[in-house]
Amino acid sequence: PLPKLPPIDLRGPAPVPLFGATGSLMRFFSEPVGTLLGQQRRFGSLATLADRNPAVITAFAPEHNKAVLSDPNLFYNHAEALFDVPPGSAPSRLGNALTGMNGDQHRRHRKLLSPAFARSALEAYRDDTVETTREAIESFRTGETLDVKALTVNLTARVALRCLFGVEPPKTGPHLGTLASQYLEGLISVEAMLFPYDLPGTA
């Protein structure tokens, strides 16, 4: 369950009946984008996932995000305290990303990643990004119906492979974007969080 912390004067949706703040977290993972957009509309640039509960605070305004994400001393992620899950399970992998790390580990990995996102590096990615995008557009056919979300995710994955890893995206096989979406959906699956064990028929 979410940790019990002293209430704060930040508003958010009412906790889910019977399940409380933990139910609010489940509600978020069942529809992340819709939940966040609804919070911003109702409560403004700072809100809590469950009313007055500081365990999870959402920050929408650019100045809030800059303050949190640009200062490793200020940044702290409480995700590791939300659930007691087995090592290697889908929810535990959420902590493997930079945004799931804290303290010295966060600073060390942030420093390792910084060169890949420096201005000079981004300028060097320009030609590969244009070429990858051109290839994607040329595959379109007049009159066909396209899934814009899948295309966008796939294009992002192809650009990342080419620019960050120097790997040419495969021409055949499942779309990288589709595979990435399936992987992410598995990581944030409510079913996987409620039952984080690798058994046949489970998430």
Side-chain angles (χ1 to χ4, degrees), residues 7-88:
I8 57 172
D9 192 24
L10 272 181
R11 304 311 304 266
V16 176
L18 300 179
F19 293 97
T22 299
S24 299
L25 189 68
M26 294 293 113
R27 178 173 56 196
F28 165 75
F29 278 113
S30 67
E31 191 186 355
V33 175
T35 301
L36 291 176
L37 289 175
Q39 278 193 275
Q40 185 179 28
R41 282 193 299 267
R42 289 180 61 194
F43 305 106
S45 62
L46 280 175
T48 56
L49 209 55
D51 195 42
R52 301 184 189 276
N53 186 317
V56 179
I57 298 173
T58 53
F60 300 104
E63 61 269 22
H64 296 321
N65 281 274
K66 183 177 181 180
V68 173
L69 298 176
S70 64
D71 185 352
N73 295 311
L74 178 63
F75 179 88
Y76 193 83
N77 177 27
H78 287 278
E80 73 276 2
L82 298 182
F83 290 94
D84 184 16
V85 296

Side-chain angles (χ1 to χ4, degrees), residues 132-133 135-141 144-159 175-178 181:
T132 306
T133 305
E135 290 173 358
I137 293 172
E138 288 179 350
S139 70
F140 301 165
R141 297 292 175 264
E144 73 175 322
T145 300
L146 300 172
D147 183 337
V148 176
K149 176 190 172 187
L151 285 170
T152 304
V153 172
N154 186 57
L155 178 59
T156 303
R158 293 172 71 87
V159 168
H175 277 232
L176 292 169
T178 301
S181 293

